Amino acid sequence: MNAIDDTPTSEARSLTDQVWRDLHEPLRRFCAVVVGPSDADDLAAETFLRCRERIMSGQVRNPRSYLFRSAVNAAQNMRRSRARESRRTVRVAAPPLEGERPHLGHVRDAVRALSPRQRAVLYLAYWEDQTESQIAETLGLHIGTVRRHVHRAHQHLRKALR
């Protein structure tokens, strides 16, 4: 930041732009799995804006991992907020999408019922093809925690899809 007018220097803006270009798409895809496609862009942008200062200051060793962890935390906050809101209001269940096979609606609902962290772990394991240790590093978790989330997500999906 420029000490005189507290605006970012062109060098800082350039670095910010480069990090955004490099990490926006992987972060957006990750967010789409964690919170759904309708909220993915907002979550990705909000996460990047919240993390930007720490990343640009050099306090963050692995920006991608830091952004992914921060996105999961923000998604959990979003989920808690929506749960509080839903307790205050009565909501009507959304009908299945037009042309959707009935059992796919159950799959979608089962995945939505997973916690953001469980969805994040499954996404990294199955779509990003990451190992448990890579997932642990990406999300800043212990490997045992990753295993627990995978196990509980599998249990939930098996039970929900019976």
Side-chain angles (χ1 to χ4, degrees):
M1 296 296 235
N2 187 326
I4 296 174
D5 59 6
D6 208 30
T7 59
T9 64
S10 63
E11 182 180 316
R13 273 193 311 272
S14 176
L15 181 57
T16 301
D17 291 346
Q18 184 61 46
V19 171
W20 176 251
R21 279 191 300 275
D22 292 347
L23 297 176
H24 172 256
E25 189 55 30
L27 179 63
R28 193 193 61 72
R29 279 193 316 267
F30 180 73
C31 290
V33 170
V34 173
V35 296
S38 61
D39 292 323
D41 288 325
D42 290 340
L43 180 61
E46 178 184 333
T47 299
F48 186 79
L49 290 174
R50 285 185 178 188
C51 298
R52 177 183 60 189
E53 287 295 319
R54 294 192 98 182
I55 292 171
M56 296 306 119
S57 70
Q59 296 175 358
V60 175
R61 189 186 57 161
N62 184 338
R64 183 177 191 269
S65 177
Y66 185 71
L67 285 168
F68 277 35
R69 281 193 316 268
S70 296
V72 170
N73 292 338
Q76 288 174 321
N77 290 341
M78 181 186 298
R79 184 178 189 193
R80 282 191 294 270
S81 175
R82 286 184 179 168
R84 284 190 302 271
E85 181 182 326
S86 72
R87 285 191 299 267
R88 289 188 297 254
T89 60
V90 176
R91 294 181 11 188
V92 177
L97 298 174
E98 189 175 320
E100 180 179 53
R101 288 182 236 144
H103 68 279
L104 291 181
H106 296 299
V107 172
R108 184 185 58 201
D109 292 341
V111 171
R112 279 187 186 152
L114 295 173
S115 73
R117 188 158 286 153
Q118 288 171 341
R119 277 186 266 163
V121 167
L122 290 182
Y123 170 78
L124 292 171
Y126 293 106
W127 280 271
E128 294 286 325
D129 225 10
Q130 290 189 6
T131 65
E132 289 176 338
S133 60
Q134 289 171 323
I135 294 168
E137 182 180 335
T138 298
L139 297 178
L141 303 171
H142 290 96
I143 195 163
T145 304
V146 170
R147 288 181 183 136
R148 185 180 76 234
H149 284 306
V150 168
H151 177 73
R152 287 184 180 169
H154 285 161
Q155 277 183 320
H156 170 80
L157 292 174
R158 267 194 296 284
K159 181 179 175 183
L161 297 175
R162 282 189 183 157

